[in-house]
Amino acid sequence: MEQIKITINGKECICNKDEYILKVAKDNGIDIPNLCDHESVAAFGACGLCAVEIIDDGNGRKLPKLMRACATKAQYGYVVSIDSERVMRSRKVALELLMSDHEGDCLGPCKLNCPAGTDVQKYLKQISQGDYHGATQTIKNVIPIPASIGRICPHPCESNCRRRFVDQPLSIAFLKSYAADKDLEKDTFVPVCKPDSGKKVAIVGGGPAGLTSAYFLRRHGHSVTVFDSMKKMGGMLRYGIPAYRLPKSVLDREIDEIRSIGVELKNGVSLGKDFTLQQLKDEYDAVILAVGAWKSMQMRVAGEDLQGVVGGIDFLRYISSQESEIPDLNGKKVAVCGGGNTAMDACRTAVRCGADEVYVIYRRTRSEMPAEDIEISEAMEEGVTFMFLTNPAEIIGKDGNVSQINLQVMELGEPDASGRRSPVPVEGKFEYIDVDMVIMAIGQTLNNTGLDGIELTRKGTISADSATFRTSDQNIFAVGDATNRGAGIAIEAIGEARKCADVVDSYLNGSIKPYNAPFVSKRNDEDIDFTKHEKKQRIEMPARPAEERRRDFDEVNLGFDDEEKVKSEAKRCLECGCHDYDDCKLIKYANYVNLKDIRFVGKKNISPVERKLVTIERNPNKCILCGLCVRVCDEVAHKGILGFVGRGFGTVIKPEFSAPDVIADCKNCNKCFNACPTGALKLIEY
């Protein structure tokens, strides 16, 4: 066989004359995107994804049109480009056309709406099988402190769980903490870290963002030191979240696990006092700022400087950490201004400190409150009085101490930028209540001590690039509550910190790779039939009675005590995400061309999912008509069970039911399943 030389993307390749370019590339370790090529069948050229450009035909000429690598034979002297601008445009159009009729979920809405991107579907499956160690390993691929986060996360995953269209969302957050607690009891999962890189990273701040960055950078093999000004690590998880929601023993245990993989933790040292950014830059290869938002925001009303007016975070700081004596509020009346979770923590903590009366002052109604509904309900059960549609107009004092608060009565007007109806004052209508303490829990912001030279936003937060997390100093990165839009929920800080760790890892390896959100296929909830699912009651978290729990800081929730109920709850998962996501070539190449939007939108060819092939579930809505299953069944298995039915847009692939014994052969074959480049075919138990 005559051998020739061709060049593919600058690499010289020796091959047999008339070999297809796609095979030559594959033999030389070059990946030309394709969806319809398979080693067991002849070239077909159906998907159009393997287009290449012949920029030299061996005679100094450029071929005028793009060629399909799977159907174009190599000729002596060919110079082939597989990723020229023209090729990439063609490939992108091909993928947009394929995706325009692809109906399926790459990932479940639970994972898509988890700021950390937790593989909820996978760990619920593991919990349903009693594999708590495996479930924790899955969770710790993105969250290093699942026992803590499972207790306090406002779980946006649950709000978007499709099980809500059947009965109720799954108890995802509590199942997470249940598995993590089980894992901490015995044979705790410890990740394997890559070999030491010789690179050093300094992280300022030991809250959820700082600890997460440290955890993943250590797993990447880097030496990591975390500096924190407080007595212990944990940030707002320790100093902002009360112990009745998050026992500090649980947090301590998870922080110890982070320390155990080689992360150095230094407490009681402050940026701008004990060290400077310049000193960190001189000693470390990269610096991450995860300093949090520790400064309580003010309402800018008269009387805020009176004795007895405190910020929400300031009030919670040492009480939540259990590092100092609990203040005695017996005989006192306390007003908490705000409607978020910090306000709920503050009012419920005031109750536990013995306050006679505790008020929550909120300028909108309950339905507009950003706090979790369970937090509001439990606060009400514990005796907190909610004064909706009121707003502080003035704090009144006597002898320099708070004595009264003047409340402007409000009503709801037109919706604001967030979609909530804006509260507006009712002219001339006020209420007065006697109080001894006012807690301002309306938000928190950055304390910028020590951040000289770092550019801040108009809001006073650190300005950090959303894709690289870089600050105005290119060697310093920033994540979490201290950056851009400001304080959020812990799971958001964790998700951002993990992405930052990957970016910093690439930076330390010499070529920074910005975070790029992947493209995913999604179904519309309105197009799904939920009536086929049997209704099953959600497992409820047992809690201590209000009269008992309001007297101490012991954990409110008692935890799940029936393992079979836990497994049953996990089995309620509808498994929305695609079983083949990790291996799906369609989504792999969609992200390769940086697909963002589908320009070709129209009616989709929707067909029912069926299981007539004995051990294989067929989802025609995920099928891209590459024909591999048909050809493998015919040419390799020699059964010819599958075939194309219809013409044009309505074409589908269906089984040919000529004889039951022929169909039964599918049970031990599975060749079509192995060849499918998408999740259109799924193995099922028989």
Side-chain angles (χ1 to χ4, degrees):
M1 180 72 71
E2 180 184 352
Q3 289 200 316
I4 60 173
K5 180 178 73 175
I6 70 171
T7 303
I8 305 177
N9 263 33
K11 183 175 182 178
E12 290 188 354
C13 306
I14 304 299
C15 63
N16 294 326
K17 185 180 179 182
D18 291 337
E19 269 190 331
Y20 291 111
I21 291 175
L22 184 62
K23 183 179 184 306
V24 177
K26 191 183 299 184
D27 290 344
N28 284 273
I30 301 171
D31 181 25
I32 297 179
N34 71 88
L35 293 169
C36 60
D37 175 70
H38 195 270
E39 58 188 12
S40 65
V41 293
F44 191 56
C47 70
L49 209 61
C50 67
V52 296
E53 187 170 16
I54 311 298
I55 57 179
D56 189 334
D57 66 355
N59 297 301
R61 293 189 298 268
K62 181 178 181 179
L63 296 189
K65 65 177 184 178
L66 300 180
M67 310 298 290
R68 296 192 178 191
C70 69
T72 303
K73 294 179 178 179
Q75 301 296 320
Y76 180 81
Y78 265 11
V79 178
V80 182
S81 173
I82 70 169
D83 55 9
S84 67
E85 183 180 347
R86 190 178 169 206
V87 166
M88 295 300 284
R89 281 202 310 268
S90 169
R91 202 166 281 152
K92 192 168 188 177
V93 169
L95 281 160
E96 286 177 321
L97 287 167
L98 289 169
M99 294 301 302
S100 69
D101 191 38
H102 180 76
E103 179 73 2
D105 289 302
C106 287
L107 304 170
C110 49
K111 180 171 182 176
L112 290 176
N113 288 280
C114 171
T118 319
D119 195 342
V120 177
Q121 183 174 325
K122 182 177 180 179
Y123 78 71
L124 288 182
K125 184 76 171 180
Q126 291 167 311
I127 290 173
S128 74
Q129 298 167 342
D131 182 11
Y132 308 114
H133 189 73
T136 303
Q137 182 174 352
T138 296
I139 299 165
K140 283 195 170 185
N141 284 332
V142 291
I143 301 173
I145 46 175
S148 299
I149 291 301
R151 284 171 163 81
I152 59 94
C153 185
H155 43 70
C157 52
E158 292 184 24
S159 302
N160 291 275
C161 174
R162 286 204 181 113
R163 188 78 204 192
R164 72 188 189 277
F165 296 116
V166 179
D167 34 52
Q168 294 172 295
L170 274 89
S171 186
I172 297 172
F174 288 144
L175 288 176
K176 179 194 286 111
S177 61
Y178 180 88
D181 285 349
K182 286 283 189 181
D183 182 74
L184 287 172
E185 288 176 5
K186 185 180 179 181
D187 300 326
T188 304
F189 167 71
V190 178
V192 176
C193 299
K194 292 180 181 178
D196 288 346
S197 66
K199 300 290 186 179
K200 297 168 57 180
V201 181
I203 298 174
V204 185
L211 292 173
T212 299
S213 296
Y215 178 79
F216 287 105
L217 282 165
R218 182 71 198 105
R219 289 181 65 167
H220 282 305
H222 308 302
S223 174
V224 185
T225 303
V226 181
F227 300 86
D228 194 89
S229 62
M230 303 301 285
K231 185 178 178 181
K232 291 185 178 181
M233 294 290 170
M236 287 299 170
L237 296 181
R238 183 180 301 279
Y239 295 97
I241 305 292
Y244 64 80
R245 289 181 60 204
L246 173 56
K248 304 315 166 189
S249 59
V250 174
L251 180 61
D252 286 338
R253 179 66 192 279
E254 294 200 301
I255 292 172
D256 284 342
E257 291 300 314
I258 295 173
R259 182 186 285 109
S260 73
I261 64 172
V263 175
E264 184 179 8
L265 305 177
K266 291 187 175 183
N267 284 97
V269 287
S270 301
L271 177 64
K273 177 183 176 183
D274 301 296
F275 60 90
T276 66
L277 284 179
Q278 187 58 54
Q279 287 174 319
L280 295 182
K281 286 172 60 180
D282 290 342
E283 185 177 349
Y284 294 87
D285 298 291
V287 177
I288 298 177
L289 297 174
V291 294
W294 290 77
K295 185 178 178 181
S296 293
M297 297 175 68
Q298 294 186 317
M299 295 196 69
R300 298 178 183 175
V301 298
E304 275 190 296
D305 57 346
L306 289 168
Q307 188 71 27
V309 179
V310 297
I313 294 302
D314 303 315
F315 173 68
L316 291 169
R317 186 171 300 169
Y318 295 103
I319 302 174
S320 296
S321 66
Q322 299 179 321
E323 291 179 3
S324 63
E325 291 186 12
I326 304 300
D328 183 4
L329 297 182
N330 277 290
K332 305 292 185 181
K333 297 179 180 179
V334 179
V336 179
C337 303
N341 286 331
T342 299
M344 297 304 99
D345 289 339
C347 71
R348 297 180 69 185
T349 295
V351 167
R352 285 160 173 77
C353 290
D356 282 6
E357 294 183 43
V358 179
Y359 306 94
V360 168
I361 297 164
Y362 184 60
R363 59 182 183 155
R364 290 184 167 97
T365 66
R366 174 171 177 168
S367 61
E368 281 87 28
M369 287 189 85
E372 282 190 84
D373 192 62
I374 184 64
E375 290 292 314
I376 301 169
S377 297
E378 289 187 347
M380 288 180 171
E381 291 171 3
E382 291 167 5
V384 175
T385 301
F386 283 74
M387 302 187 68
F388 297 112
L389 291 172
T390 60
N391 199 44
E394 181 185 10
I395 301 171
I396 301 167
K398 183 177 181 182
D399 299 327
N401 296 306
V402 171
S403 62
Q404 204 174 47
I405 186 168
N406 178 16
L407 302 176
Q408 169 72 64
V409 176
M410 312 292 285
E411 63 182 358
L412 294 182
E414 296 301 316
D416 62 12
S418 68
R420 296 188 298 174
R421 293 175 63 192
S422 299
V424 293
V426 177
E427 190 68 31
K429 194 169 183 180
F430 296 88
E431 293 183 17
Y432 291 82
I433 57 173
D434 294 332
V435 292
D436 302 289
M437 174 182 279
V438 176
I439 300 173
M440 294 293 188
I442 60 169
Q444 59 228 58
T445 189
L446 170 71
N447 179 345
N448 61 13
T449 301
L451 296 179
D452 300 335
I454 300 297
E455 181 182 336
L456 304 181
T457 68
R458 290 183 178 179
K459 294 175 62 175
T461 56
I462 297 171
S463 178
D465 184 85
S466 60
T468 65
F469 308 99
R470 270 177 160 165
T471 67
S472 52
D473 186 318
Q474 296 296 284
N475 296 313
I476 298 178
F477 302 79
V479 289
D481 288 354
T483 67
N484 300 328
R485 66 177 184 176
I489 57 178
I491 194 68
E492 290 175 338
I494 286 172
E496 191 173 75
R498 180 182 61 84
K499 295 166 190 171
C500 178
D502 289 342
V503 172
V504 172
D505 175 59
S506 70
Y507 166 77
L508 294 172
N509 286 317
S511 179
I512 192 166
K513 295 179 181 177
Y515 170 73
N516 185 28
F519 174 83
V520 291
S521 173
K522 305 175 190 175
R523 285 185 295 169
N524 292 320
D525 295 337
E526 297 79 11
D527 298 332
I528 303 173
D529 178 16
F530 294 102
T531 59
K532 62 183 180 181
H533 298 289
E534 178 187 354
K535 291 187 176 182
K536 297 179 181 178
Q537 187 66 34
R538 168 185 165 117
I539 187 173
E540 295 298 329
M541 172 59 72
R544 297 163 63 210
E547 188 54 38
E548 175 187 316
R549 70 186 188 235
R550 72 192 300 274
R551 300 178 184 278
D552 58 45
F553 284 86
D554 293 343
E555 190 168 9
V556 167
N557 292 326
L558 296 172
F560 296 136
D561 58 0
D562 188 328
E563 188 171 350
E564 290 308 310
K565 283 186 178 180
V566 168
K567 293 178 182 178
S568 178
E569 174 69 10
K571 288 177 182 177
R572 292 176 62 236
C573 176
L574 300 180
E575 299 186 12
C576 302
C578 181
H579 67 282
D580 201 37
Y581 175 73
D582 290 334
D583 298 315
C584 178
K585 294 176 72 175
L586 180 63
I587 202 66
K588 170 187 173 182
Y589 291 128
N591 284 299
Y592 167 72
V593 301
N594 198 28
L595 201 62
K596 294 298 182 186
D597 299 302
I598 305 299
R599 290 179 294 169
F600 310 110
V601 179
K603 180 181 178 181
K604 292 193 175 185
N605 190 17
I606 305 297
S607 299
V609 176
E610 51 96 334
R611 294 185 169 188
K612 295 177 180 177
L613 291 182
V614 185
T615 57
I616 297 174
E617 178 182 276
R618 293 178 55 258
N619 186 340
N621 309 309
K622 295 181 180 180
C623 178
I624 59 172
L625 298 179
C626 68
L628 275 178
C629 59
V630 176
R631 297 167 62 225
V632 166
C633 185
D634 186 31
E635 299 173 28
V636 181
H638 304 297
K639 298 300 178 183
I641 295 173
L642 297 168
F644 290 98
V645 178
R647 287 178 173 271
F649 177 71
T651 302
V652 293
I653 292 174
K654 289 186 177 180
E656 175 67 35
F657 292 103
S658 55
D661 59 322
V662 175
I663 298 297
D665 287 336
C666 291
K667 182 177 179 180
N668 299 312
C669 178
N670 300 329
K671 289 182 173 63
C672 60
F673 165 77
N674 292 326
C676 180
T678 73
L681 302 180
K682 178 182 179 181
L683 287 182
I684 55 176
E685 295 181 5
Y686 179 69

